Amino acid sequence: MWVRVPPSAPMIKLRKIQQEDLDGVAEITKNSFPDIWPKSYFEKLHRQHPDTFFVAEKDNRIVGYVLGYLKSEKLGWIKAIAVDPDFQGQGIGTTMV
C-alpha cells in the first residue's frame, strides 16, 4: 500500500517484509541503534511474525521498518520501529505507526 501521512511526508510504500529485505533492516538497525540486534535476530522475527513485520520503501530502497505483535484481535504492541537516519525527520516513522 502507498501512504503519505502527514501530508508533508514523502510518499512511501508500506508492505510486509520479505526475506530479501533483511539486509536493509539490519543496516538501518546498525545505523540507528548501534550494538542492538544482529541480522539473525530479524531473520528469527521474520519467521515468527511474518504478518506483522513491515518495511517502508522509497524509490525501491528500504528506509524503515516496524515490527508489531498481536496477542488478540484487540491487543498488540510495537516491538521495534526504525527509520534510516538519512530519512529521519520526514514523517516516515509516524506514517508506519
Side-chain angles (χ1 to χ4, degrees):
M1 97 178 68
W2 290 93
V3 292
R4 181 186 315 203
V5 179
S8 60
M11 184 67 82
I12 61 168
K13 182 178 183 181
L14 190 60
R15 61 174 173 76
K16 288 184 183 177
I17 193 169
Q18 299 171 6
Q19 183 71 30
E20 59 267 19
D21 299 326
L22 292 171
D23 284 334
V25 166
E27 185 69 19
I28 289 169
T29 301
K30 182 181 84 174
N31 293 333
S32 299
F33 311 107
D35 303 322
I36 190 165
W37 296 310
K39 180 183 171 190
S40 59
Y41 180 71
F42 290 102
E43 291 170 341
K44 176 182 160 186
L45 293 174
H46 175 237
R47 286 189 305 273
Q48 292 176 337
H49 306 282
D51 293 331
T52 56
F53 198 164
F54 294 87
V55 293
E57 204 177 68
K58 184 173 191 280
D59 299 327
N60 296 315
R61 176 178 170 186
I62 303 300
V63 298
Y65 66 87
V66 61
L67 169 62
Y69 293 148
L70 293 176
K71 186 169 183 172
S72 68
E73 220 175 271
K74 295 182 179 184
L75 179 63
W77 62 93
I78 294 174
K79 167 71 175 173
I81 184 169
V83 175
D84 185 310
D86 292 339
F87 291 86
Q88 290 177 1
Q90 299 179 31
I92 294 171
T94 300
T95 300
M96 289 190 296
V97 173

